[in-house]
Amino acid sequence: MISSREGLIWRWEWRDSLTQSEEHDLIKLKELLLDVNLNPNSADRWRWIIGSASLFSVNSCYNFLVLLGSSESINPTMLVAIKNLWKNDVPSKVHVENCSHLFYSCNFTQMVWNAIFKWMGCSITI
């Protein structure tokens, strides 16, 4: 983004020429960004787009997974695990988590990500 008399504008720089397919994707991306207004005076922040409060909650993640399970074919064992998610003896809000730890550095989360990638047929190490 660069500042101009008209305000902030997108500045696109590519190392190589774009293919026809990439040009088409860029046009679609620009259309998606038409209504995006960035504020250079405001710090970036994490936002959970699935929940109504824009904050991550286990409940919003659970509801998303259940909806996903009803619209796509998920391994039946995984669906049973999702539906039984609330039936546990773990107290709510055991400790405060931050996004980085929750999604990337937590050992349990890494096992979950690896299981998800394996389920999807991918081999990615986090």
Side-chain angles (χ1 to χ4, degrees), residues 44-116:
D44 291 339
R45 64 183 174 90
W46 285 90
R47 195 179 98 196
W48 178 252
I49 61 174
I50 294 171
S52 60
S54 297
L55 299 172
F56 175 81
S57 71
V58 174
N59 186 28
S60 66
C61 185
Y62 169 80
N63 289 333
F64 172 74
L65 291 173
V66 168
L67 286 174
L68 180 69
S70 64
S71 65
E72 295 184 15
S73 85
I74 290 183
N75 178 323
T77 306
M78 180 74 78
L79 197 52
V80 168
I82 291 169
K83 288 184 178 179
N84 289 327
L85 184 64
W86 293 114
K87 298 174 185 166
N88 59 49
D89 295 327
V90 177
S92 156
K93 309 273 184 191
V94 175
H95 60 284
V96 177
E97 294 282 1
N98 64 37
C99 290
S100 178
H101 178 260
L102 183 62
F103 289 106
Y104 305 109
S105 61
C106 173
N107 290 332
F108 179 76
T109 302
Q110 288 179 355
M111 289 188 313
V112 171
W113 280 120
N114 287 332
I116 289 170

Side-chain angles (χ1 to χ4, degrees), residues 6-25:
E6 297 85 30
L8 294 175
I9 59 171
W10 296 100
R11 186 174 85 187
W12 306 95
E13 293 181 7
W14 312 105
R15 284 188 295 158
D16 299 318
S17 298
L18 299 179
T19 65
Q20 191 172 15
S21 174
E22 291 168 335
E23 287 282 353
H24 178 70
D25 289 342

